[in-house]
Every structure is written in C-alpha cells, then in structure tokens.
Amino acid sequence: MSLDPIQVMKGPDPIPNTCPSASNGESKASWEDSKDIHENTKKPKTGPVRRARKVEGGIFFPKPENAVTIAVSSRVLFLTETEQKVFEQKGVEEYLRYQVEHENEPFAPGPAFPFVKALETVNARLRELYPDSEELFDIVLVTYNHAHVGVRLINTINYHNLFIERFCMTGGSSPIGYLKAWHTNLYLSADAEKVQEALAEGIAAATMFMPEKEVEVSETQLRVAFDGDAVLFSDESERIFKAHGLDKFFEHERENENTLLDHGPLKGFLEVLGKLQKKFYAKGHRLDCPIRTYLVTARSAASSGIRALKTLRAWGLEIDEALFLAGAPKGPMLEKIRPHIFFDDQMFHVEGAREMGAFAAHVPYGIAQKYPHKKSTNAGK
Amino acid sequence: MEDTKNSLIIALQHHDIFDLESPNADTEVLPKGIAFSFIKAVHAVNQRLVSHNSSESLGFEVILIANECSEESKVKIVENVKHYGMEICKFYFCKKDEVIKTLQSNNVKLFLSTDSDEIYKALHADVPAAVLYDQTGVLDQLKVTFSGDIIGLPEDSLDSLADLGFSEAQIKTFKSAKICMKEFAGLIGEMRRRFGHENSPLCTCLITVWGSRNICLSALKTLGGWGLDVDEAFCMAGAPCSPILALVKPHILWDGGLHNLRDVPNFEL
C-alpha cells in the first residue's frame, strides 16, 4: 500500500464511448440523455413557443433545457458576511433596511465568483466556435432574498461586469421548485439545508467556502475537481469502509472490481462538462481546451482505484487527470491544480482544501454526513 | 363597509366567479370558478387590514359585472354570492357592449378577466385591466404580479419596440398598461406596508420576461418610486416563463398581454 500520491494522466487514448458524441449544433437528444440524474424532470410543454434569437453583438440567451444551467445563490457569488450578521442578529426588517441603505455599494466577490468568471470564459470560446449553438453555460442567480436586495445585487453584477441576466428572488420561499423549472444542472449555495433538499430532488448541489489563503486561478481554463466516492460515485464503498474498516473495504473493491459503481450526485455534471469538452475537441482544440477535469480521490491507483477508472470508462466519461492519493491529504495536490471548484462529500477534506487556498465545495451526500471523518485516521484507501 | 375613500375597486365577471361551463351549472348552487381563490384571498387581506387598525380606510372592494343575463340568471347569481358568503359590494347587469362604460363610470381600479381580448379592449379604453390567472388557489396569500418589461422600459423605448416587430396597437396597450399600473401599484404598495415581511396576506412580485437585468433593475426602481417595493422578482431574459408562473401562482398578472406573445426577440436598454 503506497502512501505516495500517484498521478495518472488520461491522454487522448481511444476509450469506448457509450455516450453519443456531441459535435457542432447537435440534436437535442444528447442533452436530454445527459440529464439522467433528473429522473423526475420532464420538459414542460410550455404554451407560447419562444426561440432565443440573436441580438446585436451576437450574444443571446439560451433556452434553459439546452444549456448547462448553473444556479448560484447571492451568498456564494458575493461576500455578504456583514449583511448575514445583521440578518442573524437583528432580524429580517433591519437586514432589508441595511441592504437598501447600502444599495449602491457593490458586494465583494465570493467563493463562486472565479468559477462563474471561468464559465464565462468558456462561453466566449464556445460562441466563437459555435455561434448558433445554445449549448452554453447559463448562469442563474437563485436566492431566497427579498427583491429589496435586488437593486443592490443587480448593481453589483453590473459593477463586476458579470454576464448574468437571469434571476429568481423568491422573497423567502424555497428556491427548490425554481431550480427544477430552470433545468438546473448544478446549484451552489451557502445553505446546507437547501443544498440537501436539492440533492434529494436529484439536482447536483454543493455549499461553497472561501479559501483561507488568497490564490490565483486560471483565467483561461475552467478547472473542476471531483472527489470520487459519494460525489461522482455512490457512497456504497464509503459505507463499507465506515462500517467494517479498511481491510474489508479493499476486499470488497477487489471482489467487485468489474462491477460498476453506482452513480453519485455529481456524475451528471461531469457528464455535461465532458460534452462541452468534446465540442472543443471536434474543432481541434483538445490541447488547449478551456475545460479541464480532475478526479482527486483517496483511493489508491494500484488497487481500489481500478474500479473507479473502469466505472468512468463504462460510463463513457473522460476525466483529464485522475489523482489517486491513497489516503494522503488532498490539500497540497489541490494547491497545485488550483481548481475553480473542488467537490468533496467530507467536510474534513473541504477544510483541508480551504487551508491550502483551494475553492472547495461540500456535497452533503451519503454516509459521511452521519459519521464525519475523524482527524486522527489517515489510512489509505 | 367602512369609509370607502380609499377603496381599491376590483371588477370581476360572473363567468369567472362561477364555472358556467361545468355540467353542474344547471343546479341551484353554481360551481366555483377561477376567481374563487382570488376573492378568498382578497377577503383575507381586508380582514387583516382591519384587524391591524379598526378604522382602516384602505381595502379592496369587489364588484360583479354580468352581461346578457336573463332575469332568472340574475337572481341565481345574487343568491349564489350570498350562499358562498362572498363579499361582493355591487352588482352590475348590463349589455355586452356596455361593460367598458360600466367599468369607467365606477372608478374601477382594476378589471380582472381571463379573456385577453377583453383586457386588450379595456386597456385601449384606458381602463386598468389585468389577467386573472388560472390557478388552483393553493395559497391564502393574495399574489399580485407586475410586468418588469412594461414598467422597466422608458417611454421612448416603448416606441422603439415597433422596430422589433410589435404593432402600433400592441405598443399602445403597453403604454396604457404602464399608466394604469402606476396608480394600482401605489395603492397596493400602501397596503403592503401595513404588513411585515413575514406572514403577510399580500405578496407582490415582478416578472421580467424579455428584458435584460437592467430593464429589471429599472422596473424595481420605478416601482419603488411609485411606492411599491416588491417581495419577489424574476428575470427570465427570454426563457419560457410558464414554469415560473406555475410556481409563483399569482392571482393577478399585469402584463399587457406580453406573456402570450410568440417569437419575440430579446431586447435590452
């Protein structure tokens, strides 16, 4: 059992591709397939037919079901700690008064800000290559703030020159129904309860945290890192590990090496990222693709990692870099990768990532929420 | 009722209050129509207003307009209103082409209908009119929705909508709707302020269907200037609004007919 992290680069090897490849202006069918995580979501038969058309400047707004819709809450897009304190200490009336008083002061960027900026960069490249396609990132601000805060939020969006034209300010009601109406592929919020509700509805979701150190992330390439178990994959192996320990875990993984792992809450998101990546590859941009994905897992390459790789391959998902840490802390690796977002189901890893300056997001899914990792155990998987 | 100085008079038609299409419409007791939930919600607002201040002069008044009714129907309508305990202050029985005149002569602040042609005609006659939204009335809260597109676009931009394919008649409807919305918004705003942010029987909402965020911003500020700070705001930027409306579940939808239009390109300031 090696304790050194082993890096496995997935080069451009031919991998059996079970997903229909999405190339230029592809049929809508491929996008519907990718939403398998939304088993209950049916495309609503809306009355009036509306086609998004081009406006001057070539920027138009895609239909939500065709785009990769990212819903962000105001508390992760911007830093609203002061206002949050006012709300908690003095109640909603005082909070709203404070917001209105400060409505011409833009908020500072929050943890999801660089991620959103990176999405815009990818969109710009996609528009260059596929000017008529609606297969873009679409960012929707979904907040249960009252619309009184709307003026300040829009002022802030204008100030930072963000390309966000769609929003939902639900004035206190649950945003979950709206997430479905927007065909949300990923929901980022500061509220763990809302995120859990979203996950229960089959929508990929996570809470995001500011890194404790200032760090620069790429402005030309979107980098998304995923933990394996209970994020991309189900938490079945995690459960075995927690219940029966490391040896049983290894045994189980060995016995089931050729059985695919079940999918986890973020598998769908990785899938849509992959489809966008293929659009770049189709136009010869594999080497300078502005989207790069990473698997950062405590599994070990020599043993339990094999099952993970086989599962990914069977799903037809390519991940650019797979890092098998065999139990080593994830922080240093993330510091090197500098992802715009790193998804993990365990707060322990999220905290570790934050300490090293990474933008980490917690996916409150699976067994780890009931039995959090204790800092003393540092066994490899 | 109390002093009616500050009454927000809302007119409804009998075929929206009762479901006359239903197979049970022949019975003595008429089946409930779409407006039922609205009337219930309005009643709740009135009660809360009075409970906060017993000499409250601000409140809703609902009047019923019925056209082309036989004597028998008239009696049936009045009886049913009594039967259901609805607070309807006045009844107007008139001919079909007298509806607009009736509305105008009664200082109606809002005419609600499910028929977009009727709304269109009313707005053209400068009678405030809005959509009575078809919802199964789960909420006890009265929900009023305003169009961010109409409110957010400044006067001269409304004219330039002609370049985007809107007809003269449509543009006139929008302008008329905007003027009507202003007075109504002011009154609703005053009412809304009687309640706190939580547990309010009245909820206001802004929906911008085609405009960009800056149009929505302009609408929020304009409404604020008219005396109404909305509770909820949605900006669709061209995305289909039916799924959102299905969640918002408004009773009143002020949109000048925008949400029914097809194939309109996006526009922004």
Side-chain angles (χ1 to χ4, degrees):
Chain A
M1 188 190 1
S2 160
L3 288 172
D4 295 332
I6 295 171
Q7 209 171 92
V8 173
M9 296 277 285
K10 269 260 167 84
D13 295 324
I15 289 161
N17 197 349
T18 54
C19 291
S21 62
S23 55
N24 179 12
E26 213 2 44
S27 67
K28 308 241 160 62
S30 54
W31 284 92
E32 255 127 63
D33 293 343
S34 78
K35 294 189 192 289
D36 60 70
I37 208 156
H38 309 275
E39 264 111 36
N40 297 321
T41 308
K42 287 193 182 61
K43 231 177 29 176
K45 199 81 187 128
T46 56
V49 169
R50 211 170 270 113
R51 298 184 66 239
R53 295 240 196 98
K54 274 198 194 165
V55 201
E56 298 90 57
I59 309 285
F60 63 95
F61 313 123
K63 281 211 280 296
E65 59 260 34
N66 297 341
V68 178
T69 306
I70 314 279
V72 285
S73 88
S74 52
R75 281 170 61 194
V76 290
L77 184 57
F78 304 122
L79 277 183
T80 57
E81 277 158 14
T82 322
E83 289 74 13
Q84 196 54 27
K85 279 204 195 83
V86 173
F87 176 69
E88 281 160 13
Q89 290 166 5
K90 301 197 183 146
V92 68
E93 305 286 338
E94 188 54 44
Y95 163 77
L96 290 173
R97 204 173 314 154
Y98 182 93
Q99 293 279 30
V100 173
E101 244 177 65
H102 295 258
E103 74 185 15
N104 290 314
E105 290 168 32
F107 292 111
F113 191 91
F115 176 60
V116 166
K117 274 297 218 206
L119 296 176
E120 288 178 13
T121 308
V122 176
N123 272 358
R125 292 277 302 270
L126 279 169
R127 285 194 172 100
E128 272 169 33
L129 297 172
Y130 301 96
D132 290 321
S133 173
E134 289 193 4
E135 291 169 344
L136 297 164
F137 286 112
D138 187 26
I139 300 147
V140 183
L141 181 70
V142 176
T143 171
Y144 53 102
N145 253 312
H146 278 78
H148 297 229
V149 191
V151 173
R152 191 175 183 190
L153 283 172
I154 303 176
N155 280 339
T156 306
I157 293 173
N158 285 336
Y159 175 82
H160 291 290
N161 213 9
L162 290 174
F163 194 74
I164 299 177
E165 298 294 346
R166 296 177 160 162
F167 36 89
C168 267
M169 295 174 198
T170 69
S173 332
S174 168
I176 303 299
Y178 295 103
L179 291 179
K180 289 172 127 172
W182 281 106
H183 297 264
T184 304
N185 293 86
L186 175 66
Y187 173 50
L188 297 174
S189 169
D191 185 329
E193 256 182 59
K194 301 271 176 302
V195 164
Q196 275 171 329
E197 268 182 65
L199 287 172
E201 297 286 332
I203 301 171
T207 48
M208 262 197 106
F209 301 91
M210 273 312 264
E212 285 172 21
K213 283 194 327 195
E214 272 225 29
V215 67
E216 266 185 40
V217 284
S218 168
E219 292 190 357
T220 52
Q221 185 182 63
L222 169 70
R223 294 185 185 168
V224 184
F226 301 86
D227 174 32
D229 296 285
V231 174
L232 286 180
F233 312 117
S234 75
D235 68 340
E236 65 183 79
S237 304
E238 195 75 45
R239 284 173 183 267
I240 307 233
F241 171 61
K242 295 268 192 232
H244 304 291
L246 197 57
D247 290 330
K248 252 296 185 284
F249 167 82
F250 275 124
E251 200 184 298
H252 180 262
E253 292 304 293
R254 232 185 350 260
E255 282 167 16
N256 289 287
E257 204 178 275
N258 290 310
T259 314
L260 299 184
L261 286 160
D262 217 352
H263 68 74
L266 261 82
K267 178 221 174 193
F269 185 60
L270 175 63
E271 208 165 351
V272 298
L273 287 179
K275 287 194 164 128
L276 288 178
Q277 282 180 308
K278 289 195 178 76
K279 297 188 77 165
F280 288 102
Y281 301 164
K283 297 248 171 166
H285 288 283
R286 190 181 273 273
L287 290 180
D288 63 336
C289 183
I291 302 175
R292 197 159 178 85
T293 55
Y294 304 78
L295 173 67
V296 182
T297 174
R299 283 179 180 248
S300 149
S303 51
S304 51
I306 296 176
R307 193 179 177 202
L309 285 179
K310 286 193 176 181
T311 304
L312 284 174
R313 188 193 300 170
W315 287 346
L317 297 182
E318 292 185 25
I319 203 154
D320 296 300
E321 288 183 43
L323 296 102
F324 296 95
L325 299 173
K330 298 184 179 180
M333 201 46 64
L334 291 167
E335 199 184 6
K336 288 194 114 164
I337 298 173
R338 311 253 180 120
H340 292 90
I341 189 167
F342 163 58
F343 297 99
D344 201 303
D345 66 308
Q346 307 206 42
M347 269 314 284
F348 168 70
H349 289 300
V350 171
E351 289 295 334
R354 290 183 69 194
E355 278 166 29
M356 303 297 287
F359 289 98
H362 179 228
V363 184
Y365 174 81
I367 197 76
Q369 313 318 309
K370 294 206 190 83
Y371 304 105
H373 184 130
K374 295 191 206 18
K375 264 202 158 126
S376 52
T377 17
N378 194 16
K381 277 198 327 202
Chain B
M1 224 187 146
E2 312 83 12
D3 181 23
T4 51
K5 246 195 312 222
N6 249 336
S7 275
L8 233 161
I9 301 177
I10 300 193
L12 284 168
Q13 297 183 92
H14 70 296
H15 54 249
D16 287 326
I17 298 179
F18 303 113
D19 183 2
L20 300 174
E21 310 274 307
S22 147
N24 296 328
D26 287 331
T27 57
E28 282 304 308
V29 176
L30 291 168
K32 301 182 191 174
I34 292 168
F36 243 76
S37 143
F38 168 73
I39 293 176
K40 192 170 160 218
V42 155
H43 186 54
V45 173
N46 280 345
Q47 283 190 311
R48 283 283 295 273
L49 283 169
V50 168
S51 75
H52 283 217
N53 172 11
S54 54
S55 57
E56 176 67 73
S57 61
L58 190 59
F60 287 107
E61 248 190 68
V62 179
I63 69 174
L64 182 153
I65 298 189
N67 61 72
E68 312 294 337
C69 284
S70 63
E71 285 309 311
E72 207 193 307
S73 303
K74 289 181 193 174
V75 171
K76 207 172 178 185
I77 288 172
V78 176
E79 296 262 317
N80 268 277
V81 166
K82 223 191 300 179
H83 166 82
Y84 282 110
M86 290 193 265
E87 289 209 0
I88 293 186
C89 312
K90 300 196 179 89
F91 296 81
Y92 292 93
F93 297 103
C94 60
K95 296 217 220 358
K96 202 171 173 79
D97 55 5
E98 289 173 344
V99 172
I100 301 276
K101 234 187 293 174
T102 313
L103 293 168
Q104 285 168 326
S105 55
N106 280 288
N107 195 23
V108 165
K109 297 283 192 280
L110 180 60
F111 168 50
L112 280 179
S113 171
T114 48
D115 183 335
S116 19
D117 284 335
E118 276 184 342
I119 296 171
Y120 192 76
K121 267 193 221 122
L123 284 172
H124 269 253
D126 293 321
V127 171
V131 176
L132 174 67
Y133 197 73
D134 185 359
Q135 50 128 309
T136 47
V138 172
L139 307 167
D140 286 323
Q141 224 182 19
L142 177 65
K143 234 162 168 185
V144 186
T145 309
F146 294 90
S147 159
D149 302 282
I150 295 181
I151 298 175
L153 280 177
E155 202 56 32
D156 39 4
S157 295
L158 278 173
D159 284 318
S160 69
L161 286 178
D163 302 332
L164 291 170
F166 287 96
S167 71
E168 285 265 1
Q170 281 169 333
I171 294 178
K172 180 166 189 296
T173 317
F174 299 153
K175 286 187 176 176
S176 190
K178 189 169 181 175
I179 296 170
C180 297
M181 271 192 234
K182 180 173 177 178
E183 193 191 350
F184 189 77
L187 287 166
I188 289 282
E190 223 191 299
M191 255 193 226
R192 182 68 188 85
R193 274 192 289 282
R194 302 277 201 265
F195 310 109
H197 281 103
E198 306 194 318
N199 200 23
S200 165
L202 173 61
C203 181
T204 55
C205 176
L206 178 74
I207 298 190
T208 307
V209 176
W210 275 279
S212 66
R213 66 172 184 260
N214 286 315
I215 292 192
C216 188
L217 178 64
S218 165
L220 285 170
K221 288 184 174 168
T222 306
L223 275 173
W226 290 350
L228 172 62
D229 287 320
V230 289
D231 299 293
E232 303 176 5
F234 301 90
C235 192
M236 308 302 301
C241 67
S242 309
I244 300 294
L245 280 176
L247 288 164
V248 171
K249 294 203 199 68
H251 291 96
I252 298 173
L253 178 60
W254 272 101
D255 73 345
L258 260 184
H259 84 291
N260 273 327
L261 294 176
R262 293 171 169 258
D263 273 352
V264 177
N266 300 307
F267 52 79
E268 74 163 273
L269 277 175

